[in-house]
Amino acid sequence: MSEKLLLMTPGPTEVDPRVIKAMIRPSIYHYDQEFISLYDETEELLRKVFQTENDIIMLPGSGRTGIESAALSFVERNERVLAITTGTFGNWFIEILKVHGADVVPLSFPKGGRINMDEVKRILEEDKKIAAIAMVHNETSTAAIYSKDVEELGEMSKKFDKIFMVDTISSMGGANVPVDKWNIDVCITGAQKALGGLPGVSIVSVSQRAWEKVLKRNVIKSFTLDLLRWKLMWVKKERGGLLIRGRRSFPVIPPTHLILVLNEALKIILDEGLENRFRKHIEAAEEMRLLGKEIGLELFPEEELASPTVTAFKVPEVLTGKQIRQVMREDYSILVAGGMDELSEKIIRVGHMGYTANKDFVRRTAIALEGTLYKLGFRKR
Amino acid sequence: MSEKLLLMTPGPTEVDPRVIKAMIRPSIYHYDQEFISLYDETEELLRKVFQTENDIIMLPGSGRTGIESAALSFVERNERVLAITTGTFGNWFIEILKVHGADVVPLSFPKGGRINMDEVKRILEEDKKIAAIAMVHNETSTAAIYSKDVEELGEMSKKFDKIFMVDTISSMGGANVPVDKWNIDVCITGAQKALGGLPGVSIVSVSQRAWEKVLKRNVIKSFTLDLLRWKLMWVKKERGGLLIRGRRSFPVIPPTHLILVLNEALKIILDEGLENRFRKHIEAAEEMRLLGKEIGLELFPEEELASPTVTAFKVPEVLTGKQIRQVMREDYSILVAGGMDELSEKIIRVGHMGYTANKDFVRRTAIALEGTLYKLGFRKR
């Protein structure tokens, strides 16, 4: 692996060199006091980025690991879940809920399009059996973000006493997600996206309300993914942990070096300041959309839903996504992503999150895109 | 984390500096062809260390993640499993099997003691309902290894047509585990023990017989842990993979940098040669036992079961394990482990696996142990 490709993919994303440097360390014993202090500090830093007082749990795995841990921990077999979907990741959330026996009420809206909140409200009012609501904040597959909807649904969840589970895998750290203000009971993300870490750590925040639900059933559903085990074995006494072994023990051994990475990535975010961090992402995304349009590309999602961490353009009809991706890689050493499922060749997606959320990276990508389209005969210079 | 402690713990263990160096790389896109080549190469290297033609699957997680993926993938609800245990990790295997609804027949032998193979045989002959056998090769909690028993049980599993699942978490890479010769259908290990990698990757090998069993049921039991998904989505066509999406896709995103680490750690093993590697561990263990006895410590497990990767000594009755661990850490900057469960204060365990499997590290530890015992008033110089 000699060639250095610029990752303008919607995760994993380029990381600050500080982040790589943080893991140049010999082996670490996970119960060493110094590591535990760093681990606890990492939880605290995550609480700041999540803007929450809730418990934070880190699991070895990808974003989907966190979604699965949430699905199996907070939803009972045959329990009804309203799952709103506008793309591939929303559909995966549904798939995961179903694997664990949830009675899913899927509510689909067009890919890249708006959620009809009146319809959501109507269902919630009519179907009293719904116990939880699941949705994706930033639908990475279409580059559409649903902040207003999450906020509104959070209020309704509280009002109707539902458990509200939100996938913020490609938004947390790059977009404003005030977990407590938005009443998100279970908020899931991954380290390798807008948080600016490396793949291998999945993160879940859990509200008191969600814990109460789990403690009522008191059945262990998985040895390594059931979040109840964290409440029983890891969460500190002063935070309501139960410490059934009399001391804190990890339900699953943490990937020590990736925790060092995440710790550093979070410090970078907080050094920047959340406000600045979010603004930086908005500006990078605006620049990407502007430049994309200038070179003749059409935005895929509705403009008002355009995400600050990832941008999707329609592939011009005479071309395929693969052609564009290939020239971008071979001639410019830049990796962009295609679409997913039926959008595979119809859109291209550019990530600008964490380290790459700035105009320099975006401009370099736009210049390469222009050259690529020119080479493919779509655009005259 | 400034102070450098020498990890003589039974995993995580010290790693070769080459291993740390291998991960000093910017972000990697997991579908980049160069990464996939390295990933495939890592599978091949693992096949060599496992001495198998079976499929190899790498999951983000710890050893327990692999055990859980095996339990949920290859055992049906209410299916009977004979689970042999001689210590904490054997008991955890049972706990994990039960979480997923197996009808476990637990068969316990004394901690650190021998398995009565006649009893095992009798149960297998009498109870026709047993579909699978589970056991731990190297019981890390007592430092006892059960190679002959695994070999013998492998033959019986084949003869009686059982699925044979073996936890080799603290032996693979440090002791001879010829998976095919021993007829192990599902062999589980972790990267951070005798393989010499870092925590965060769990590894499972799967035989054709085990796959056939899974394919018969064809029910997905987990999104991120069900190994069937790897057979459907990742295993190459030429190896019998089904590639239902028409191309290889990862059921869960791999922890890219930890795969780089594992790749390098495996190359170190194969550069050494398996024979040399195993001999080195045996010699380090012999030295540890010899020196331990010289300074007045008694071996915990039966001598003939003494593991090549970890050694357990009884704590002299006038002392506690905690006292010894504390002085070792504070005065000598060496971390050794205590026992587990009721053995917590009764034994101390010294790991000598991978990078630390040599006489220098062992001697340094023995000298420190002697000084520690002297300081604690147990031994006259």
Side-chain angles (χ1 to χ4, degrees):
Chain A
M1 295 204 291
S2 46
E3 179 197 13
K4 176 51 196 147
L5 290 166
L6 174 63
L7 264 54
M8 297 300 288
T9 38
T13 188
E14 294 294 332
V15 298
D16 194 303
R18 264 174 73 180
V19 155
I20 299 291
K21 216 176 135 200
M23 73 176 162
I24 305 177
R25 264 188 57 90
S27 290
I28 301 162
Y29 180 57
H30 49 286
Y31 283 119
D32 188 66
Q33 193 46 55
E34 289 191 73
F35 179 73
I36 293 196
S37 299
L38 181 131
Y39 190 95
D40 287 345
E41 182 192 62
T42 311
E43 284 185 8
E44 279 304 327
L45 297 171
L46 282 165
R47 260 188 281 276
K48 285 183 184 152
V49 175
F50 277 54
Q51 303 174 59
T52 187
E53 294 300 319
N54 291 341
D55 286 320
I56 294 275
I57 292 157
M58 295 182 269
L59 297 166
S62 78
R64 250 29 63 188
T65 308
I67 300 279
E68 178 155 29
S69 77
L72 73 83
S73 300
F74 301 109
V75 179
E76 297 299 293
R77 198 155 277 277
N78 299 319
E79 200 168 41
R80 198 164 291 173
V81 183
L82 176 64
I84 298 164
T85 172
T86 60
T88 301
F89 290 99
N91 295 340
W92 284 6
F93 207 147
I94 291 172
E95 208 177 321
I96 293 170
L97 285 161
K98 283 184 177 170
V99 164
H100 293 285
D103 172 17
V104 178
V105 179
L107 184 56
S108 299
F109 295 101
K111 291 193 170 185
R114 270 178 276 184
I115 292 171
N116 182 337
M117 285 299 287
D118 292 337
E119 203 176 331
V120 176
K121 236 175 274 182
R122 188 184 52 73
I123 293 174
L124 281 177
E125 278 163 358
E126 284 175 9
D127 191 341
K128 303 295 176 205
K129 279 196 159 175
I130 289 168
I133 302 169
M135 74 171 289
V136 175
H137 176 219
N138 195 51
E139 180 51 76
T140 326
S141 71
T142 64
I145 194 162
Y146 298 92
S147 296
K148 263 194 221 157
D149 307 283
V150 169
E151 183 171 9
E152 218 174 306
L153 265 170
E155 263 172 47
M156 276 195 262
S157 297
K158 198 180 166 190
K159 188 176 139 201
F160 291 103
D161 195 29
K162 318 294 187 199
I163 296 292
F164 189 34
M165 302 190 286
V166 184
D167 165 347
T168 64
I169 292 172
S170 62
S171 54
M172 186 61 79
N176 189 28
V177 189
V179 167
D180 288 356
K181 187 169 166 241
W182 287 0
N183 298 295
I184 303 174
D185 292 299
V186 185
C187 185
I188 306 115
T189 196
Q192 78 280 17
K193 305 260 180 185
L195 289 180
L198 293 174
V201 188
S202 185
I203 304 146
V204 187
S205 76
V206 182
S207 73
Q208 202 45 45
R209 224 153 59 89
W211 280 137
E212 276 160 21
K213 181 169 177 173
V214 168
L215 288 168
K216 246 178 253 164
R217 64 169 163 82
N218 210 12
V219 177
I220 300 290
K221 292 178 171 182
S222 160
F223 195 86
T224 60
L225 295 183
D226 193 337
L227 300 173
L228 173 56
R229 282 171 53 84
W230 290 82
K231 182 75 168 171
L232 298 175
M233 295 167 66
W234 182 254
V235 176
K236 287 181 186 170
K237 269 257 190 271
E238 59 264 36
R239 288 195 59 86
L242 301 170
L243 304 194
I244 50 164
R245 289 198 185 166
R247 56 182 169 78
R248 295 171 82 200
S249 41
F250 287 113
V252 61
I253 309 292
T256 47
H257 284 61
L258 299 182
I259 301 293
L260 298 179
V261 158
L262 179 58
N263 184 281
E264 192 69 17
L266 293 165
K267 282 178 180 160
I268 290 171
I269 294 178
L270 294 166
D271 286 352
E272 278 180 65
L274 288 182
E275 282 299 320
N276 294 333
R277 178 88 171 182
F278 303 150
R279 191 181 322 115
K280 195 177 84 167
H281 280 80
I282 290 168
E283 285 171 5
E286 278 171 354
E287 185 79 357
M288 189 71 246
R289 295 198 294 276
L290 187 76
L291 295 175
K293 284 180 205 161
E294 266 179 22
I295 59 178
L297 291 170
E298 204 181 321
L299 199 65
F300 175 74
E302 293 208 21
E303 181 103 29
E304 67 174 39
L305 298 173
S307 166
T309 60
V310 50
T311 298
F313 294 113
K314 293 179 189 167
V315 170
E317 278 191 9
V318 291
L319 304 177
T320 67
K322 197 178 176 180
Q323 286 176 302
I324 295 176
R325 294 197 314 273
Q326 240 164 14
V327 177
M328 287 289 284
R329 195 208 141 121
E330 281 161 24
D331 292 12
Y332 299 93
S333 296
I334 296 178
L335 277 192
V336 294
M340 296 177 80
D341 298 332
E342 79 281 6
L343 293 175
S344 171
E345 296 304 317
K346 308 254 186 238
I347 63 174
I348 50 162
R349 295 178 300 146
V350 180
H352 29 74
M353 45 178 77
Y355 194 63
T356 57
N358 70 53
K359 292 188 183 176
D360 291 338
F361 284 110
V362 160
R363 280 175 195 152
R364 189 172 147 195
T365 308
I367 289 164
L369 265 176
E370 193 199 16
T372 299
L373 293 176
Y374 175 74
K375 184 174 180 175
L376 293 171
F378 171 73
R379 188 169 197 248
K380 293 195 182 71
R381 277 202 203 253
Chain B
M1 295 204 293
S2 46
E3 179 197 11
K4 175 53 194 147
L5 290 167
L6 174 62
L7 264 55
M8 296 301 287
T9 38
T13 188
E14 294 294 332
V15 299
D16 194 304
R18 265 174 72 182
V19 154
I20 299 292
K21 216 178 136 199
M23 74 177 163
I24 306 177
R25 266 187 55 91
S27 289
I28 300 162
Y29 181 56
H30 49 286
Y31 284 120
D32 187 66
Q33 194 46 56
E34 289 191 73
F35 178 72
I36 293 197
S37 298
L38 181 131
Y39 191 95
D40 286 346
E41 182 190 61
T42 310
E43 284 184 9
E44 280 302 327
L45 298 171
L46 282 165
R47 260 187 281 276
K48 285 183 184 151
V49 175
F50 276 55
Q51 303 174 59
T52 187
E53 294 300 318
N54 290 341
D55 287 320
I56 294 276
I57 292 158
M58 294 181 271
L59 297 166
S62 78
R64 251 27 65 188
T65 308
I67 299 280
E68 178 156 28
S69 77
L72 73 83
S73 300
F74 301 110
V75 179
E76 298 300 291
R77 197 156 277 277
N78 300 319
E79 201 169 41
R80 198 164 293 172
V81 183
L82 176 65
I84 298 163
T85 173
T86 60
T88 301
F89 290 99
N91 294 341
W92 284 7
F93 206 147
I94 290 172
E95 206 178 321
I96 293 170
L97 285 161
K98 283 183 177 170
V99 164
H100 293 285
D103 172 16
V104 178
V105 179
L107 184 56
S108 299
F109 295 101
K111 292 196 170 182
R114 270 178 276 183
I115 292 170
N116 181 340
M117 284 300 287
D118 292 336
E119 202 177 332
V120 177
K121 237 175 271 181
R122 188 184 53 73
I123 293 174
L124 281 177
E125 278 163 359
E126 283 175 10
D127 191 341
K128 302 297 177 203
K129 278 196 161 174
I130 289 167
I133 302 168
M135 75 171 285
V136 175
H137 176 219
N138 196 53
E139 180 51 76
T140 324
S141 70
T142 64
I145 194 163
Y146 298 90
S147 295
K148 264 194 221 158
D149 307 284
V150 169
E151 183 171 9
E152 219 175 305
L153 265 170
E155 263 172 46
M156 277 194 262
S157 297
K158 199 181 166 189
K159 187 177 141 203
F160 291 103
D161 195 30
K162 317 295 186 199
I163 295 291
F164 188 35
M165 302 190 286
V166 183
D167 166 345
T168 65
I169 291 172
S170 62
S171 53
M172 185 63 78
N176 189 29
V177 189
V179 167
D180 288 357
K181 186 169 168 246
W182 287 0
N183 297 296
I184 303 174
D185 292 300
V186 185
C187 185
I188 305 115
T189 196
Q192 79 280 16
K193 304 260 180 183
L195 288 179
L198 293 174
V201 188
S202 185
I203 304 148
V204 187
S205 76
V206 182
S207 74
Q208 202 44 46
R209 224 152 61 88
W211 280 137
E212 275 160 22
K213 181 170 178 172
V214 169
L215 288 167
K216 246 178 251 164
R217 63 169 164 83
N218 211 12
V219 177
I220 299 291
K221 292 177 171 181
S222 161
F223 196 85
T224 59
L225 294 184
D226 193 337
L227 299 173
L228 173 57
R229 283 171 52 85
W230 290 82
K231 181 75 167 171
L232 298 174
M233 294 168 65
W234 181 254
V235 176
K236 286 181 185 171
K237 269 258 190 272
E238 59 264 35
R239 289 195 59 88
L242 299 170
L243 302 194
I244 51 165
R245 289 198 186 166
R247 58 185 168 78
R248 295 170 83 200
S249 41
F250 287 112
V252 60
I253 308 293
T256 47
H257 284 61
L258 298 182
I259 301 293
L260 298 178
V261 158
L262 179 57
N263 183 282
E264 193 69 16
L266 295 165
K267 282 179 181 158
I268 290 171
I269 294 178
L270 294 166
D271 285 352
E272 277 180 64
L274 290 181
E275 282 299 320
N276 295 333
R277 179 87 171 183
F278 302 150
R279 191 181 322 115
K280 195 177 84 169
H281 281 79
I282 289 168
E283 285 171 5
E286 278 171 355
E287 185 79 358
M288 189 72 246
R289 295 197 294 275
L290 187 76
L291 296 175
K293 285 179 205 163
E294 268 180 21
I295 60 178
L297 291 170
E298 203 182 324
L299 199 65
F300 175 73
E302 293 208 18
E303 180 104 31
E304 67 173 41
L305 297 174
S307 165
T309 60
V310 50
T311 297
F313 294 113
K314 292 179 190 166
V315 170
E317 278 191 10
V318 292
L319 304 177
T320 67
K322 197 176 176 183
Q323 286 176 302
I324 296 177
R325 295 197 315 272
Q326 240 164 14
V327 178
M328 286 290 284
R329 195 206 141 121
E330 280 161 25
D331 291 13
Y332 299 93
S333 294
I334 296 178
L335 276 192
V336 295
M340 298 176 79
D341 299 331
E342 79 281 8
L343 293 175
S344 171
E345 296 304 317
K346 309 256 185 235
I347 62 173
I348 51 160
R349 296 177 299 146
V350 180
H352 29 74
M353 45 177 77
Y355 194 63
T356 56
N358 70 53
K359 292 187 183 177
D360 291 339
F361 285 109
V362 162
R363 281 176 194 152
R364 189 173 148 194
T365 308
I367 290 166
L369 266 176
E370 194 198 15
T372 299
L373 293 177
Y374 176 75
K375 183 173 182 177
L376 293 171
F378 171 72
R379 189 170 196 246
K380 292 194 180 73
R381 279 205 201 249

